Amino acid sequence: MHVENLTLAYGADEPVVTGLTLEVPQGRMTAIVGPNGSGKSTLLRGMSRLLKPQTGRVLLDGKDIHQLPARELARQLGVLPQGPVTPEGITAAELVSRGRHPHRGMFARLTSEDQHAIDEALAAVELADLRDRPVDQLSGGQRQRVWIAMVLAQGTQHLLLDEPTTYLDLAHAVDVMNVVHAAAHASGRTVVTVLHDLTLAAQYADNLVVMGGGQIAAQGRPVEVLSEELLAEVFGLRATVVEVGGAPVVVPDRRVSA
Ligand SMILES: Nc1ncnc2c1ncn2[C@@H]1O[C@H](COP(=O)(O)OP(=O)(O)OP(=O)(O)O)[C@@H](O)[C@H]1O
Ligand SMILES: [Mg+2]
């Protein structure tokens, strides 16, 4: 994916993202981090056609996403938005099966290939035994994992995920990151994911993009990007960065009065 000179705004408001250019490495995992309100979700919307850019374009395998028919785009690009709204009464398996829509005819029943993709996605997030449960009766973390399964079942070459590990306990967050990492490294998919946990992002991402004020503040290998200076500058965070197993770990300084 190639993002070129992208300017994104809501209505007549001042642009949130201005003239942003980003080359997303193919078949690798890119993590986007940055403070609240820095434009991460807006950028993902711009990259997935949920928000029409004021300037610039997004190329998917060399093609402008705004020139592709919606269905064609959905076969190539899977998107998990931040805080998706669950349709009422839908079961886990039904929600995941929606990921197969772009592959099906208008009234076609699920093929064995669809069924296989659904089963595999539910298994990947360890929810096979809850498949017939209504999603609104699941815990926040289980619900989040159903949504991730839906995007995985879509079987797209490109994945855009907005905070897929929110609501997850650390063990399940790591499980999801393993699944997402394997989507890139074992299956050759291109993954872009917004994350808040800097240490988790640094552990998994091949490419780390740090956003600040609608711009890219830094980009590169996590170990090169995540410095104490950058954390102070972009996040206003005082922290110590240590390296464990080649990846940076962020330890925030305690700020307590005596
Ligand atoms: N639908 C919208 N209409 C108008 N302004 C919006 C809308 N969504 C986001 N914004 C504004 O755009 C800016 C960037 O928001 P965005 O959601 O992209 O931030 P973010 O980096 O994803 O933050 P967070 O970490 O909190 O998810 C914010 O100032 C926000 O108020
Ligand atoms: Mg966001």
Side-chain angles (χ1 to χ4, degrees):
M1 273 190 117
H2 178 67
V3 176
E4 206 175 272
N5 189 32
L6 210 60
T7 299
L8 300 165
Y10 295 98
D13 293 354
E14 280 290 297
V16 173
V17 169
T18 25
L20 186 147
T21 294
L22 172 68
E23 181 65 48
V24 178
Q26 196 96 1
R28 288 284 173 267
M29 184 163 162
T30 295
I32 302 177
V33 299
N36 291 138
S38 57
K40 304 179 298 296
S41 296
T42 302
L43 174 60
L44 243 54
R45 282 184 206 123
M47 289 171 73
S48 60
R49 224 165 70 165
L50 294 170
L51 190 58
K52 199 171 171 9
Q54 286 192 338
T55 69
R57 54 190 194 152
V58 177
L59 302 178
L60 200 64
D61 295 330
K63 289 189 195 130
D64 188 333
I65 58 168
H66 281 274
Q67 310 293 329
L68 288 170
R71 205 174 149 82
E72 171 76 23
L73 183 66
R75 287 197 199 118
Q76 297 183 33
L77 181 70
V79 184
L80 175 69
Q82 184 172 10
V85 180
T86 305
E88 217 172 306
I90 196 167
T91 67
E94 282 163 358
L95 183 58
V96 175
S97 77
R98 293 200 172 189
R100 300 302 300 168
H101 275 184
H103 302 278
R104 291 161 60 194
M106 192 77 97
F107 303 106
R109 295 169 60 90
L110 290 174
T111 62
S112 58
E113 190 187 343
D114 292 328
Q115 205 61 61
H116 178 72
I118 294 164
D119 293 346
E120 204 174 49
L122 278 164
V125 297
E126 289 179 49
L127 282 179
D129 50 341
L130 293 177
R131 56 180 300 140
D132 296 321
R133 260 293 186 96
V135 178
D136 45 25
Q137 289 175 22
L138 297 175
S139 78
Q142 291 167 340
R143 207 172 303 152
Q144 177 80 358
R145 279 148 57 207
V146 177
W147 278 102
I148 292 164
M150 188 199 78
V151 180
L152 290 173
Q154 207 174 324
T156 56
Q157 185 59 33
H158 300 85
L159 293 168
L160 300 180
L161 311 171
D162 200 344
E163 300 195 27
T165 56
T166 311
Y167 302 118
L168 302 190
D169 65 65
L170 188 54
H172 281 112
V174 167
D175 287 344
V176 164
M177 293 306 283
N178 285 337
V179 169
V180 171
H181 188 264
H185 284 260
S187 308
R189 302 197 202 178
T190 302
V191 180
V192 179
T193 179
V194 174
L195 294 170
H196 270 300
D197 187 321
L198 300 172
T199 299
L200 204 61
Q203 288 276 336
Y204 283 94
D206 302 294
N207 184 37
L208 188 66
V209 174
V210 183
M211 283 193 76
Q215 308 271 352
I216 295 179
Q219 176 181 192
R221 286 175 55 226
V223 71
E224 288 160 1
V225 167
L226 268 195
S227 65
E228 291 170 5
E229 295 73 35
L230 177 111
L231 294 174
E233 189 188 309
V234 178
F235 290 86
L237 175 74
R238 279 192 288 162
T240 304
V241 178
V242 295
E243 223 180 283
V244 178
V249 172
V250 177
V251 186
D253 293 350
R254 278 184 359 151
R255 258 176 286 177
V256 290
S257 45

